[in-house]
Amino acid sequence: MRMSDQFAIATLCSAGYLHWLEHLHRNLLLLRPGLHRLTVCVTDQQTRAAARMLQLDTLVVGDTTEQRHATAHTFGTEAYARVTRHKASCVLGIMTRRRPPPALLFTDTDVTFFASPWPHLPLHTADIALLDDSGPSQATHNTLSSSLFFVR
């Protein structure tokens, strides 16, 4: 069984982030062609069409007739909460498909991988792994990040 049959990568994208989607898609192809299966969770028809042009799997999350694009620049705002809900719907939608992948890495569209992420993930020791954004700049607000997480 090829790794692409075992593991999947998902991202959430709206029309304002299409250039990042192209970047992520090319980034994964450059790492190793055929190694990663990318599913794009879309919030609008323009993004769905663009993802299909790249021959990527799509999953609609949210109401595609909404005029607002899924962007969230400020933590704690209603827009941030809406995007975070879309991310959760994305992962749930993929993992409850008829043939779900045994492992899924969710990443924000604007992430760049310099190597395959799979050797660095707890593939056999955890059902979920979250990115902890705590550090010197957030010493009093240690938060888990929804920008990159792993589920199996």
Side-chain angles (χ1 to χ4, degrees), residues 1-11 21 24-25 27-29 31-41 51 54-58 90-91 93-107 113 116-118 151:
M1 183 179 286
R2 293 181 2 221
M3 187 173 284
S4 61
D5 296 328
Q6 297 176 2
F7 305 120
I9 296 176
T11 192
L21 177 60
L24 178 62
H25 176 59
N27 175 216
L28 294 174
L29 288 175
L31 284 179
R32 192 183 232 162
L35 180 64
H36 307 285
R37 184 176 62 198
L38 179 62
T39 297
V40 183
C41 294
L54 295 171
Q55 299 181 332
L56 297 172
D57 179 35
T58 62
C90 174
V91 171
I94 292 169
M95 296 307 283
T96 57
R97 284 180 166 175
R98 199 180 87 172
R99 296 182 69 202
L104 176 69
L105 178 66
F106 180 90
T107 180
F113 293 98
S116 175
W118 301 114
V151 295

Side-chain angles (χ1 to χ4, degrees), residues 11-19 21 40-54 56-60 64 69-70 109:
T11 192
L12 174 69
C13 189
S14 63
Y17 288 80
L18 289 177
H19 66 287
L21 177 60
V40 183
C41 294
V42 300
T43 60
D44 57 81
Q45 293 301 331
Q46 180 182 355
T47 306
R48 188 176 198 189
R52 287 183 169 173
M53 290 283 291
L54 295 171
L56 297 172
D57 179 35
T58 62
L59 177 68
V60 175
T64 60
H69 295 298
T109 307

Side-chain angles (χ1 to χ4, degrees), residues 134-143:
S134 62
S137 65
Q138 296 181 341
T140 59
H141 297 93
N142 295 338
T143 58

